[in-house]
PDB file of all heavy atoms in Angstrom:
ATOM      1  N   ILE P   1      88.966  60.393  85.122  1.00 96.00           N
ATOM      2  CA  ILE P   1      89.230  60.756  86.521  1.00 96.00           C
ATOM      3  C   ILE P   1      89.630  59.492  87.265  1.00 96.00           C
ATOM      4  O   ILE P   1      88.820  58.565  87.412  1.00 96.00           O
ATOM      5  CB  ILE P   1      88.002  61.405  87.183  1.00 96.00           C
ATOM      6  CG1 ILE P   1      87.488  62.572  86.340  1.00 96.00           C
ATOM      7  CG2 ILE P   1      88.339  61.898  88.585  1.00 96.00           C
ATOM      8  CD1 ILE P   1      86.069  62.454  85.937  1.00 96.00           C
ATOM      9  N   GLU P   2      90.875  59.438  87.714  1.00 95.00           N
ATOM     10  CA  GLU P   2      91.393  58.282  88.444  1.00 95.00           C
ATOM     11  C   GLU P   2      91.501  58.644  89.918  1.00 95.00           C
ATOM     12  O   GLU P   2      92.280  59.518  90.300  1.00 95.00           O
ATOM     13  CB  GLU P   2      92.774  57.887  87.888  1.00 95.00           C
ATOM     14  CG  GLU P   2      92.733  57.521  86.416  1.00 95.00           C
ATOM     15  CD  GLU P   2      94.110  57.294  85.811  1.00 95.00           C
ATOM     16  OE1 GLU P   2      95.120  57.663  86.455  1.00 95.00           O
ATOM     17  OE2 GLU P   2      94.172  56.748  84.698  1.00 95.00           O
ATOM     18  N   LEU P   3      90.689  57.981  90.742  1.00 93.00           N
ATOM     19  CA  LEU P   3      90.624  58.289  92.182  1.00 93.00           C
ATOM     20  C   LEU P   3      91.394  57.228  92.958  1.00 93.00           C
ATOM     21  O   LEU P   3      90.814  56.320  93.543  1.00 93.00           O
ATOM     22  CB  LEU P   3      89.155  58.343  92.626  1.00 93.00           C
ATOM     23  CG  LEU P   3      88.259  59.291  91.830  1.00 93.00           C
ATOM     24  CD1 LEU P   3      86.800  59.122  92.227  1.00 93.00           C
ATOM     25  CD2 LEU P   3      88.694  60.737  92.020  1.00 93.00           C
ATOM     26  N   MET P   4      92.716  57.375  92.954  1.00 90.00           N
ATOM     27  CA  MET P   4      93.557  56.311  93.517  1.00 90.00           C
ATOM     28  C   MET P   4      94.590  56.906  94.478  1.00 90.00           C
ATOM     29  O   MET P   4      95.802  56.774  94.275  1.00 90.00           O
ATOM     30  CB  MET P   4      94.239  55.545  92.391  1.00 90.00           C
ATOM     31  CG  MET P   4      93.258  54.896  91.431  1.00 90.00           C
ATOM     32  SD  MET P   4      94.062  54.026  90.062  1.00 90.00           S
ATOM     33  CE  MET P   4      94.877  55.363  89.235  1.00 90.00           C
ATOM     34  N   GLY P   5      94.106  57.565  95.515  1.00 87.00           N
ATOM     35  CA  GLY P   5      94.991  58.096  96.536  1.00 87.00           C
ATOM     36  C   GLY P   5      95.997  59.084  95.977  1.00 87.00           C
ATOM     37  O   GLY P   5      95.659  59.974  95.202  1.00 87.00           O
ATOM     38  N   ARG P   6      97.268  58.906  96.324  1.00 88.00           N
ATOM     39  CA  ARG P   6      98.288  59.857  95.876  1.00 88.00           C
ATOM     40  C   ARG P   6      98.577  59.718  94.378  1.00 88.00           C
ATOM     41  O   ARG P   6      99.283  60.566  93.803  1.00 88.00           O
ATOM     42  CB  ARG P   6      99.577  59.676  96.682  1.00 88.00           C
ATOM     43  CG  ARG P   6     100.230  58.320  96.576  1.00 88.00           C
ATOM     44  CD  ARG P   6     101.355  58.169  97.587  1.00 88.00           C
ATOM     45  NE  ARG P   6     102.010  56.882  97.518  1.00 88.00           N
ATOM     46  CZ  ARG P   6     103.070  56.640  96.745  1.00 88.00           C
ATOM     47  NH1 ARG P   6     103.570  57.585  95.989  1.00 88.00           N
ATOM     48  NH2 ARG P   6     103.637  55.440  96.748  1.00 88.00           N
ATOM     49  N   HIS P   7      98.061  58.666  93.739  1.00 90.00           N
ATOM     50  CA  HIS P   7      98.227  58.495  92.296  1.00 90.00           C
ATOM     51  C   HIS P   7      97.019  59.045  91.517  1.00 90.00           C
ATOM     52  O   HIS P   7      96.931  58.830  90.302  1.00 90.00           O
ATOM     53  CB  HIS P   7      98.426  57.017  91.948  1.00 90.00           C
ATOM     54  CG  HIS P   7      99.616  56.393  92.612  1.00 90.00           C
ATOM     55  ND1 HIS P   7     100.907  56.781  92.323  1.00 90.00           N
ATOM     56  CD2 HIS P   7      99.708  55.439  93.576  1.00 90.00           C
ATOM     57  CE1 HIS P   7     101.756  56.079  93.066  1.00 90.00           C
ATOM     58  NE2 HIS P   7     101.046  55.266  93.835  1.00 90.00           N
ATOM     59  N   SER P   8      96.115  59.729  92.198  1.00 93.00           N
ATOM     60  CA  SER P   8      94.912  60.253  91.545  1.00 93.00           C
ATOM     61  C   SER P   8      95.279  61.263  90.458  1.00 93.00           C
ATOM     62  O   SER P   8      96.274  61.977  90.574  1.00 93.00           O
ATOM     63  CB  SER P   8      93.997  60.912  92.577  1.00 93.00           C
ATOM     64  OG  SER P   8      93.593  59.980  93.560  1.00 93.00           O
ATOM     65  N   ASN P   9      94.427  61.312  89.420  1.00 95.00           N
ATOM     66  CA  ASN P   9      94.731  62.222  88.310  1.00 95.00           C
ATOM     67  C   ASN P   9      93.468  62.531  87.518  1.00 95.00           C
ATOM     68  O   ASN P   9      92.493  61.756  87.557  1.00 95.00           O
ATOM     69  CB  ASN P   9      95.769  61.590  87.372  1.00 95.00           C
ATOM     70  CG  ASN P   9      96.715  62.614  86.770  1.00 95.00           C
ATOM     71  OD1 ASN P   9      96.351  63.786  86.639  1.00 95.00           O
ATOM     72  ND2 ASN P   9      97.912  62.195  86.408  1.00 95.00           N
ATOM     73  N   ILE P  10      93.484  63.669  86.852  1.00 96.00           N
ATOM     74  CA  ILE P  10      92.451  64.025  85.863  1.00 96.00           C
ATOM     75  C   ILE P  10      93.172  64.160  84.539  1.00 96.00           C
ATOM     76  O   ILE P  10      94.090  64.983  84.398  1.00 96.00           O
ATOM     77  CB  ILE P  10      91.743  65.345  86.220  1.00 96.00           C
ATOM     78  CG1 ILE P  10      91.032  65.236  87.574  1.00 96.00           C
ATOM     79  CG2 ILE P  10      90.730  65.721  85.129  1.00 96.00           C
ATOM     80  CD1 ILE P  10      90.468  66.556  88.081  1.00 96.00           C
ATOM     81  N   ILE P  11      92.780  63.340  83.568  1.00 96.00           N
ATOM     82  CA  ILE P  11      93.504  63.285  82.293  1.00 96.00           C
ATOM     83  C   ILE P  11      92.526  63.568  81.156  1.00 96.00           C
ATOM     84  O   ILE P  11      91.468  62.940  81.058  1.00 96.00           O
ATOM     85  CB  ILE P  11      94.153  61.890  82.103  1.00 96.00           C
ATOM     86  CG1 ILE P  11      95.070  61.569  83.299  1.00 96.00           C
ATOM     87  CG2 ILE P  11      94.923  61.835  80.797  1.00 96.00           C
ATOM     88  CD1 ILE P  11      95.538  60.124  83.339  1.00 96.00           C
ATOM     89  N   LEU P  12      92.888  64.516  80.308  1.00 96.00           N
ATOM     90  CA  LEU P  12      92.081  64.852  79.130  1.00 96.00           C
ATOM     91  C   LEU P  12      92.680  64.136  77.925  1.00 96.00           C
ATOM     92  O   LEU P  12      93.873  64.296  77.624  1.00 96.00           O
ATOM     93  CB  LEU P  12      92.068  66.365  78.911  1.00 96.00           C
ATOM     94  CG  LEU P  12      91.229  66.871  77.738  1.00 96.00           C
ATOM     95  CD1 LEU P  12      89.747  66.584  77.960  1.00 96.00           C
ATOM     96  CD2 LEU P  12      91.442  68.371  77.535  1.00 96.00           C
ATOM     97  N   THR P  13      91.860  63.325  77.239  1.00 95.00           N
ATOM     98  CA  THR P  13      92.373  62.541  76.110  1.00 95.00           C
ATOM     99  C   THR P  13      91.547  62.793  74.847  1.00 95.00           C
ATOM    100  O   THR P  13      90.406  63.265  74.907  1.00 95.00           O
ATOM    101  CB  THR P  13      92.342  61.028  76.416  1.00 95.00           C
ATOM    102  OG1 THR P  13      90.980  60.606  76.556  1.00 95.00           O
ATOM    103  CG2 THR P  13      93.106  60.718  77.696  1.00 95.00           C
ATOM    104  N   ASP P  14      92.145  62.453  73.732  1.00 94.00           N
ATOM    105  CA  ASP P  14      91.462  62.505  72.440  1.00 94.00           C
ATOM    106  C   ASP P  14      91.096  61.065  72.071  1.00 94.00           C
ATOM    107  O   ASP P  14      91.983  60.257  71.760  1.00 94.00           O
ATOM    108  CB  ASP P  14      92.391  63.113  71.390  1.00 94.00           C
ATOM    109  CG  ASP P  14      91.698  63.266  70.035  1.00 94.00           C
ATOM    110  OD1 ASP P  14      90.585  62.727  69.877  1.00 94.00           O
ATOM    111  OD2 ASP P  14      92.265  63.923  69.153  1.00 94.00           O
ATOM    112  N   PRO P  15      89.810  60.692  72.129  1.00 93.00           N
ATOM    113  CA  PRO P  15      89.406  59.290  71.866  1.00 93.00           C
ATOM    114  C   PRO P  15      89.786  58.802  70.484  1.00 93.00           C
ATOM    115  O   PRO P  15      90.030  57.604  70.292  1.00 93.00           O
ATOM    116  CB  PRO P  15      87.886  59.304  72.058  1.00 93.00           C
ATOM    117  CG  PRO P  15      87.595  60.547  72.822  1.00 93.00           C
ATOM    118  CD  PRO P  15      88.656  61.540  72.447  1.00 93.00           C
ATOM    119  N   SER P  16      89.830  59.706  69.497  1.00 90.00           N
ATOM    120  CA  SER P  16      90.121  59.274  68.125  1.00 90.00           C
ATOM    121  C   SER P  16      91.544  58.744  67.982  1.00 90.00           C
ATOM    122  O   SER P  16      91.797  57.819  67.216  1.00 90.00           O
ATOM    123  CB  SER P  16      89.900  60.447  67.154  1.00 90.00           C
ATOM    124  OG  SER P  16      90.766  61.528  67.483  1.00 90.00           O
ATOM    125  N   SER P  17      92.478  59.326  68.714  1.00 92.00           N
ATOM    126  CA  SER P  17      93.864  58.885  68.620  1.00 92.00           C
ATOM    127  C   SER P  17      94.318  58.100  69.850  1.00 92.00           C
ATOM    128  O   SER P  17      95.329  57.393  69.800  1.00 92.00           O
ATOM    129  CB  SER P  17      94.791  60.101  68.451  1.00 92.00           C
ATOM    130  OG  SER P  17      94.736  60.930  69.597  1.00 92.00           O
ATOM    131  N   GLY P  18      93.590  58.247  70.949  1.00 91.00           N
ATOM    132  CA  GLY P  18      93.970  57.599  72.193  1.00 91.00           C
ATOM    133  C   GLY P  18      95.108  58.297  72.907  1.00 91.00           C
ATOM    134  O   GLY P  18      95.648  57.776  73.889  1.00 91.00           O
ATOM    135  N   ASN P  19      95.458  59.505  72.441  1.00 94.00           N
ATOM    136  CA  ASN P  19      96.569  60.244  73.031  1.00 94.00           C
ATOM    137  C   ASN P  19      96.098  61.185  74.138  1.00 94.00           C
ATOM    138  O   ASN P  19      94.943  61.644  74.144  1.00 94.00           O
ATOM    139  CB  ASN P  19      97.307  61.059  71.964  1.00 94.00           C
ATOM    140  CG  ASN P  19      98.124  60.178  71.045  1.00 94.00           C
ATOM    141  OD1 ASN P  19      98.419  59.037  71.379  1.00 94.00           O
ATOM    142  ND2 ASN P  19      98.487  60.711  69.888  1.00 94.00           N
ATOM    143  N   ILE P  20      97.018  61.468  75.023  1.00 95.00           N
ATOM    144  CA  ILE P  20      96.751  62.396  76.136  1.00 95.00           C
ATOM    145  C   ILE P  20      96.953  63.827  75.657  1.00 95.00           C
ATOM    146  O   ILE P  20      97.990  64.151  75.057  1.00 95.00           O
ATOM    147  CB  ILE P  20      97.704  62.090  77.319  1.00 95.00           C
ATOM    148  CG1 ILE P  20      97.443  60.693  77.880  1.00 95.00           C
ATOM    149  CG2 ILE P  20      97.557  63.147  78.413  1.00 95.00           C
ATOM    150  CD1 ILE P  20      98.493  60.226  78.882  1.00 95.00           C
ATOM    151  N   LEU P  21      95.974  64.694  75.924  1.00 95.00           N
ATOM    152  CA  LEU P  21      96.139  66.128  75.647  1.00 95.00           C
ATOM    153  C   LEU P  21      96.872  66.783  76.819  1.00 95.00           C
ATOM    154  O   LEU P  21      97.737  67.621  76.616  1.00 95.00           O
ATOM    155  CB  LEU P  21      94.787  66.793  75.408  1.00 95.00           C
ATOM    156  CG  LEU P  21      94.013  66.281  74.185  1.00 95.00           C
ATOM    157  CD1 LEU P  21      92.651  66.951  74.084  1.00 95.00           C
ATOM    158  CD2 LEU P  21      94.813  66.530  72.910  1.00 95.00           C
ATOM    159  N   ASP P  22      96.511  66.394  78.031  1.00 95.00           N
ATOM    160  CA  ASP P  22      97.244  66.845  79.221  1.00 95.00           C
ATOM    161  C   ASP P  22      96.624  66.210  80.456  1.00 95.00           C
ATOM    162  O   ASP P  22      95.513  65.677  80.413  1.00 95.00           O
ATOM    163  CB  ASP P  22      97.218  68.374  79.371  1.00 95.00           C
ATOM    164  CG  ASP P  22      98.437  68.889  80.135  1.00 95.00           C
ATOM    165  OD1 ASP P  22      99.204  68.059  80.662  1.00 95.00           O
ATOM    166  OD2 ASP P  22      98.621  70.122  80.213  1.00 95.00           O
ATOM    167  N   GLY P  23      97.355  66.265  81.546  1.00 94.00           N
ATOM    168  CA  GLY P  23      96.868  65.774  82.840  1.00 94.00           C
ATOM    169  C   GLY P  23      97.091  66.834  83.891  1.00 94.00           C
ATOM    170  O   GLY P  23      98.044  67.621  83.803  1.00 94.00           O
ATOM    171  N   ILE P  24      96.228  66.869  84.889  1.00 95.00           N
ATOM    172  CA  ILE P  24      96.389  67.869  85.946  1.00 95.00           C
ATOM    173  C   ILE P  24      97.680  67.610  86.736  1.00 95.00           C
ATOM    174  O   ILE P  24      98.309  68.526  87.241  1.00 95.00           O
ATOM    175  CB  ILE P  24      95.145  67.899  86.872  1.00 95.00           C
ATOM    176  CG1 ILE P  24      95.129  69.183  87.711  1.00 95.00           C
ATOM    177  CG2 ILE P  24      95.063  66.667  87.744  1.00 95.00           C
ATOM    178  CD1 ILE P  24      93.823  69.435  88.436  1.00 95.00           C
ATOM    179  N   HIS P  25      98.088  66.324  86.805  1.00 94.00           N
ATOM    180  CA  HIS P  25      99.365  65.947  87.410  1.00 94.00           C
ATOM    181  C   HIS P  25     100.181  65.197  86.356  1.00 94.00           C
ATOM    182  O   HIS P  25      99.704  64.189  85.830  1.00 94.00           O
ATOM    183  CB  HIS P  25      99.170  65.059  88.632  1.00 94.00           C
ATOM    184  CG  HIS P  25      98.423  65.709  89.745  1.00 94.00           C
ATOM    185  ND1 HIS P  25      97.699  64.994  90.675  1.00 94.00           N
ATOM    186  CD2 HIS P  25      98.293  67.007  90.093  1.00 94.00           C
ATOM    187  CE1 HIS P  25      97.134  65.836  91.535  1.00 94.00           C
ATOM    188  NE2 HIS P  25      97.472  67.055  91.187  1.00 94.00           N
ATOM    189  N   HIS P  26     101.357  65.655  86.064  1.00 93.00           N
ATOM    190  CA  HIS P  26     102.211  64.986  85.083  1.00 93.00           C
ATOM    191  C   HIS P  26     102.953  63.812  85.733  1.00 93.00           C
ATOM    192  O   HIS P  26     103.421  63.921  86.872  1.00 93.00           O
ATOM    193  CB  HIS P  26     103.223  65.971  84.496  1.00 93.00           C
ATOM    194  CG  HIS P  26     102.610  66.941  83.537  1.00 93.00           C
ATOM    195  ND1 HIS P  26     103.304  67.984  82.971  1.00 93.00           N
ATOM    196  CD2 HIS P  26     101.340  67.023  83.037  1.00 93.00           C
ATOM    197  CE1 HIS P  26     102.501  68.672  82.170  1.00 93.00           C
ATOM    198  NE2 HIS P  26     101.309  68.106  82.194  1.00 93.00           N
ATOM    199  N   VAL P  27     103.056  62.723  84.989  1.00 92.00           N
ATOM    200  CA  VAL P  27     103.848  61.566  85.419  1.00 92.00           C
ATOM    201  C   VAL P  27     104.905  61.341  84.347  1.00 92.00           C
ATOM    202  O   VAL P  27     104.599  60.916  83.237  1.00 92.00           O
ATOM    203  CB  VAL P  27     102.975  60.303  85.590  1.00 92.00           C
ATOM    204  CG1 VAL P  27     103.830  59.117  86.021  1.00 92.00           C
ATOM    205  CG2 VAL P  27     101.861  60.545  86.601  1.00 92.00           C
ATOM    206  N   THR P  28     106.143  61.664  84.672  1.00 91.00           N
ATOM    207  CA  THR P  28     107.247  61.597  83.711  1.00 91.00           C
ATOM    208  C   THR P  28     107.883  60.205  83.733  1.00 91.00           C
ATOM    209  O   THR P  28     107.652  59.412  84.650  1.00 91.00           O
ATOM    210  CB  THR P  28     108.309  62.649  84.057  1.00 91.00           C
ATOM    211  OG1 THR P  28     108.844  62.348  85.352  1.00 91.00           O
ATOM    212  CG2 THR P  28     107.696  64.046  84.082  1.00 91.00           C
ATOM    213  N   PRO P  29     108.717  59.898  82.720  1.00 88.00           N
ATOM    214  CA  PRO P  29     109.393  58.586  82.711  1.00 88.00           C
ATOM    215  C   PRO P  29     110.257  58.346  83.945  1.00 88.00           C
ATOM    216  O   PRO P  29     110.463  57.202  84.348  1.00 88.00           O
ATOM    217  CB  PRO P  29     110.246  58.655  81.441  1.00 88.00           C
ATOM    218  CG  PRO P  29     109.540  59.628  80.562  1.00 88.00           C
ATOM    219  CD  PRO P  29     108.938  60.650  81.477  1.00 88.00           C
ATOM    220  N   SER P  30     110.771  59.421  84.537  1.00 87.00           N
ATOM    221  CA  SER P  30     111.602  59.253  85.743  1.00 87.00           C
ATOM    222  C   SER P  30     110.768  58.857  86.962  1.00 87.00           C
ATOM    223  O   SER P  30     111.291  58.290  87.925  1.00 87.00           O
ATOM    224  CB  SER P  30     112.356  60.550  86.051  1.00 87.00           C
ATOM    225  OG  SER P  30     111.444  61.605  86.315  1.00 87.00           O
ATOM    226  N   ILE P  31     109.442  59.154  86.915  1.00 87.00           N
ATOM    227  CA  ILE P  31     108.547  58.793  88.013  1.00 87.00           C
ATOM    228  C   ILE P  31     107.998  57.385  87.820  1.00 87.00           C
ATOM    229  O   ILE P  31     107.924  56.588  88.757  1.00 87.00           O
ATOM    230  CB  ILE P  31     107.387  59.812  88.127  1.00 87.00           C
ATOM    231  CG1 ILE P  31     107.940  61.214  88.465  1.00 87.00           C
ATOM    232  CG2 ILE P  31     106.370  59.383  89.182  1.00 87.00           C
ATOM    233  CD1 ILE P  31     106.897  62.312  88.436  1.00 87.00           C
ATOM    234  N   SER P  32     107.585  57.072  86.586  1.00 83.00           N
ATOM    235  CA  SER P  32     106.999  55.750  86.308  1.00 83.00           C
ATOM    236  C   SER P  32     107.414  55.295  84.916  1.00 83.00           C
ATOM    237  O   SER P  32     107.273  56.042  83.944  1.00 83.00           O
ATOM    238  CB  SER P  32     105.473  55.819  86.399  1.00 83.00           C
ATOM    239  OG  SER P  32     104.883  54.618  85.951  1.00 83.00           O
ATOM    240  N   SER P  33     107.908  54.094  84.846  1.00 79.00           N
ATOM    241  CA  SER P  33     108.266  53.539  83.534  1.00 79.00           C
ATOM    242  C   SER P  33     107.083  52.800  82.916  1.00 79.00           C
ATOM    243  O   SER P  33     107.091  52.497  81.714  1.00 79.00           O
ATOM    244  CB  SER P  33     109.454  52.579  83.687  1.00 79.00           C
ATOM    245  OG  SER P  33     109.134  51.538  84.601  1.00 79.00           O
ATOM    246  N   TYR P  34     106.057  52.485  83.741  1.00 83.00           N
ATOM    247  CA  TYR P  34     104.904  51.718  83.247  1.00 83.00           C
ATOM    248  C   TYR P  34     103.956  52.607  82.435  1.00 83.00           C
ATOM    249  O   TYR P  34     103.539  52.244  81.343  1.00 83.00           O
ATOM    250  CB  TYR P  34     104.152  51.085  84.414  1.00 83.00           C
ATOM    251  CG  TYR P  34     102.916  50.327  83.982  1.00 83.00           C
ATOM    252  CD1 TYR P  34     103.018  49.047  83.439  1.00 83.00           C
ATOM    253  CD2 TYR P  34     101.649  50.903  84.100  1.00 83.00           C
ATOM    254  CE1 TYR P  34     101.889  48.366  83.015  1.00 83.00           C
ATOM    255  CE2 TYR P  34     100.517  50.224  83.696  1.00 83.00           C
ATOM    256  CZ  TYR P  34     100.641  48.961  83.147  1.00 83.00           C
ATOM    257  OH  TYR P  34      99.520  48.292  82.731  1.00 83.00           O
ATOM    258  N   ARG P  35     103.595  53.753  82.992  1.00 90.00           N
ATOM    259  CA  ARG P  35     102.655  54.665  82.301  1.00 90.00           C
ATOM    260  C   ARG P  35     103.106  56.107  82.476  1.00 90.00           C
ATOM    261  O   ARG P  35     103.466  56.540  83.569  1.00 90.00           O
ATOM    262  CB  ARG P  35     101.219  54.471  82.798  1.00 90.00           C
ATOM    263  CG  ARG P  35     100.992  54.812  84.242  1.00 90.00           C
ATOM    264  CD  ARG P  35      99.644  54.283  84.717  1.00 90.00           C
ATOM    265  NE  ARG P  35      98.514  54.839  84.024  1.00 90.00           N
ATOM    266  CZ  ARG P  35      97.683  55.775  84.523  1.00 90.00           C
ATOM    267  NH1 ARG P  35      97.904  56.259  85.729  1.00 90.00           N
ATOM    268  NH2 ARG P  35      96.667  56.198  83.841  1.00 90.00           N
ATOM    269  N   ILE P  36     103.085  56.835  81.375  1.00 91.00           N
ATOM    270  CA  ILE P  36     103.498  58.236  81.359  1.00 91.00           C
ATOM    271  C   ILE P  36     102.266  59.087  81.111  1.00 91.00           C
ATOM    272  O   ILE P  36     101.477  58.822  80.192  1.00 91.00           O
ATOM    273  CB  ILE P  36     104.553  58.484  80.266  1.00 91.00           C
ATOM    274  CG1 ILE P  36     105.800  57.640  80.551  1.00 91.00           C
ATOM    275  CG2 ILE P  36     104.921  59.963  80.179  1.00 91.00           C
ATOM    276  CD1 ILE P  36     106.783  57.576  79.409  1.00 91.00           C
ATOM    277  N   VAL P  37     102.080  60.106  81.938  1.00 93.00           N
ATOM    278  CA  VAL P  37     100.968  61.044  81.743  1.00 93.00           C
ATOM    279  C   VAL P  37     101.578  62.390  81.361  1.00 93.00           C
ATOM    280  O   VAL P  37     101.932  63.210  82.214  1.00 93.00           O
ATOM    281  CB  VAL P  37     100.109  61.171  83.023  1.00 93.00           C
ATOM    282  CG1 VAL P  37      98.955  62.151  82.790  1.00 93.00           C
ATOM    283  CG2 VAL P  37      99.560  59.810  83.441  1.00 93.00           C
ATOM    284  N   MET P  38     101.731  62.570  80.075  1.00 93.00           N
ATOM    285  CA  MET P  38     102.299  63.798  79.510  1.00 93.00           C
ATOM    286  C   MET P  38     101.607  64.049  78.170  1.00 93.00           C
ATOM    287  O   MET P  38     101.187  63.102  77.491  1.00 93.00           O
ATOM    288  CB  MET P  38     103.805  63.667  79.303  1.00 93.00           C
ATOM    289  CG  MET P  38     104.619  63.528  80.583  1.00 93.00           C
ATOM    290  SD  MET P  38     104.801  65.090  81.459  1.00 93.00           S
ATOM    291  CE  MET P  38     105.970  65.938  80.407  1.00 93.00           C
ATOM    292  N   PRO P  39     101.487  65.316  77.751  1.00 94.00           N
ATOM    293  CA  PRO P  39     100.857  65.602  76.447  1.00 94.00           C
ATOM    294  C   PRO P  39     101.563  64.857  75.314  1.00 94.00           C
ATOM    295  O   PRO P  39     102.794  64.794  75.252  1.00 94.00           O
ATOM    296  CB  PRO P  39     101.024  67.120  76.309  1.00 94.00           C
ATOM    297  CG  PRO P  39     101.145  67.634  77.710  1.00 94.00           C
ATOM    298  CD  PRO P  39     101.867  66.556  78.458  1.00 94.00           C
ATOM    299  N   GLY P  40     100.761  64.257  74.414  1.00 93.00           N
ATOM    300  CA  GLY P  40     101.302  63.575  73.250  1.00 93.00           C
ATOM    301  C   GLY P  40     101.509  62.083  73.421  1.00 93.00           C
ATOM    302  O   GLY P  40     101.647  61.356  72.427  1.00 93.00           O
ATOM    303  N   PHE P  41     101.540  61.599  74.665  1.00 93.00           N
ATOM    304  CA  PHE P  41     101.738  60.162  74.905  1.00 93.00           C
ATOM    305  C   PHE P  41     100.390  59.431  74.840  1.00 93.00           C
ATOM    306  O   PHE P  41      99.350  60.011  75.156  1.00 93.00           O
ATOM    307  CB  PHE P  41     102.382  59.922  76.267  1.00 93.00           C
ATOM    308  CG  PHE P  41     103.863  60.231  76.299  1.00 93.00           C
ATOM    309  CD1 PHE P  41     104.309  61.522  76.481  1.00 93.00           C
ATOM    310  CD2 PHE P  41     104.790  59.212  76.133  1.00 93.00           C
ATOM    311  CE1 PHE P  41     105.666  61.811  76.507  1.00 93.00           C
ATOM    312  CE2 PHE P  41     106.147  59.482  76.166  1.00 93.00           C
ATOM    313  CZ  PHE P  41     106.590  60.793  76.345  1.00 93.00           C
TER     314      PHE P  41
END
C-alpha cells in the first residue's frame, strides 16, 4: 500500500518471483518510464 497522494496505489505481488499480480491503479509505460504497475511486470 503506497500512500503518496495522487500516486497512491494498492499492489498485489508474488514475493517468490517479485512480479506484480495486479494494481488497483495501473501505471503504463506511457505514464511512467521509471516504474510500471501492470500484471506480469
